[in-house]
Amino acid sequence: MTEKTSRSVQVGSLEVAQGRPFTLIAGPCAIESRQHALEMARAVQAIAGELSIPFIFKSSFDKANRTSASSARGVGLAEGLAILAEIRETLGCPVLTDVHDAAQCAPAAEAVDVLQIPAFLCRQSDLLHAAAATGCAVNVKKGQFLAPWDMAQVTGKLEAFGCEKVLVTDRGTSFGYNTLVTDLRGLRYLEDTGWPVVFDATHSVQQPGGQGGTSGGQREFVPVLARAAVSLGVAAVFMETHEAPERALSDGPNMVPLARLREVLADLKAFDELAKARPLPRL
């Protein structure tokens, strides 16, 4: 693949780019309530602020790809977007949320700064087109079923649809039943798209459907993979967190406990500073 010139993406007041200090995209997997979302946003913002890490709040109004039909999906579009808009207005931080079909893109773009395309939907042209048409930044996750170099076609679609602000995220690759593996070479292939690369440290340790009716996860490996990704100079780290992951409505086994978030981020900041001071050369 021919290497493209690395671009930066403006998200609110933040510049997300390979050569900049990494941006943290973090929050609970799903919006559980207005009060919980606001409390989590304030708590994560405070930690990020203390460490001088740029911060984008993340949470989903709907989890449309749950393992079981009985799993909680979230508060829904109208209530969820109202909560996300309130967080953006009251805390002054950029906000990101998932969209699952084309009809959700325009209303979501009124409430948030970044529309996220879930990994399972990364090849859905109509969804990509609708997201691009909003003018929002679009964070598209690499499908677990795709080779990293195939994401050049996905970002190429967004570019063809007129999107001028793209983020591209690795969240692991299918590796046998209920298992994902992270191929760190993939981060370099994603960088070759020319857009800022995000590493999803929590979904990369997910075990899809690993608990039968729900997904499992191995949160103990989040710091391991995140440190490796940051050492390669990624532009952003995506990391879901919750004050009590065992009670979370979605993805508890792979979320970072809020009480441990500061130590994880402090470690990543140190590795990021070294990585950005000494960029890894191409051979």
Side-chain angles (χ1 to χ4, degrees), residues 26-103:
C29 180
I31 298 172
E32 299 184 2
S33 69
R34 172 182 173 275
Q35 179 179 349
H36 183 259
L38 282 163
E39 288 176 353
M40 289 296 300
R42 290 191 185 101
V44 180
Q45 184 183 49
I47 294 169
E50 181 183 348
L51 295 170
S52 299
I53 296 175
F55 169 57
I56 298 172
F57 178 73
K58 177 272 165 186
S59 201
S60 300
F61 57 81
D62 181 24
K63 302 301 294 183
N65 60 346
R66 299 304 305 276
T67 301
S68 168
S70 63
S71 297
R73 288 186 51 167
V75 297
L77 180 69
E79 182 179 354
L81 293 183
I83 292 168
L84 293 170
E86 182 179 359
I87 289 170
R88 181 170 68 169
E89 181 178 352
T90 58
L91 300 188
C93 61
V95 174
L96 173 152
T97 198
D98 295 289
V99 288
H100 296 89
D101 63 57

Side-chain angles (χ1 to χ4, degrees), residues 26-219:
C29 180
I31 298 172
E32 299 184 2
S33 69
R34 172 182 173 275
Q35 179 179 349
H36 183 259
L38 282 163
E39 288 176 353
M40 289 296 300
R42 290 191 185 101
V44 180
Q45 184 183 49
I47 294 169
E50 181 183 348
L51 295 170
S52 299
I53 296 175
F55 169 57
I56 298 172
F57 178 73
K58 177 272 165 186
S59 201
S60 300
F61 57 81
D62 181 24
K63 302 301 294 183
N65 60 346
R66 299 304 305 276
T67 301
S68 168
S70 63
S71 297
R73 288 186 51 167
V75 297
L77 180 69
E79 182 179 354
L81 293 183
I83 292 168
L84 293 170
E86 182 179 359
I87 289 170
R88 181 170 68 169
E89 181 178 352
T90 58
L91 300 188
C93 61
V95 174
L96 173 152
T97 198
D98 295 289
V99 288
H100 296 89
D101 63 57
Q104 294 176 341
C105 293
E110 296 295 320
V112 305
D113 303 273
V114 187
L115 302 180
Q116 182 163 274
I117 308 298
F120 284 122
L121 301 177
C122 70
R123 288 172 53 120
Q124 297 298 104
S125 296
D126 289 345
L127 178 58
L128 294 172
H129 197 175
T134 67
C136 265
V138 178
N139 181 34
V140 58
K141 290 193 170 185
K142 183 188 79 66
Q144 303 92 324
F145 47 87
L146 284 184
W149 45 85
D150 291 333
M151 285 300 287
Q153 302 300 326
V154 175
T155 59
K157 284 185 184 181
L158 285 168
E159 293 168 18
F161 296 146
C163 189
E164 297 181 346
K165 296 189 287 187
V166 179
L167 305 175
V168 57
T169 296
D170 193 338
R171 57 143 298 163
T173 301
S174 295
F175 186 71
Y177 299 125
N178 308 123
T179 307
L180 299 173
V181 66
T182 296
D183 180 357
L184 292 173
R185 297 174 302 171
L187 297 175
R188 180 54 58 89
Y189 282 109
L190 296 187
E191 189 177 327
D192 285 341
T193 66
W195 295 106
V197 176
V198 183
F199 180 66
D200 183 341
T202 45
H203 287 101
S204 291
V205 302
Q206 187 185 60
Q207 296 172 314
Q211 296 181 343
T214 60
S215 290
Q218 296 175 299
R219 74 168 61 91

Side-chain angles (χ1 to χ4, degrees), residues 247-270:
R247 298 200 308 266
L249 298 183
S250 177
D251 280 357
N254 48 268
M255 281 200 279
V256 174
L258 182 62
R260 303 292 301 276
L261 183 63
R262 190 194 183 285
E263 65 182 270
V264 172
L265 293 178
D267 179 69
L268 297 184
K269 181 178 173 66

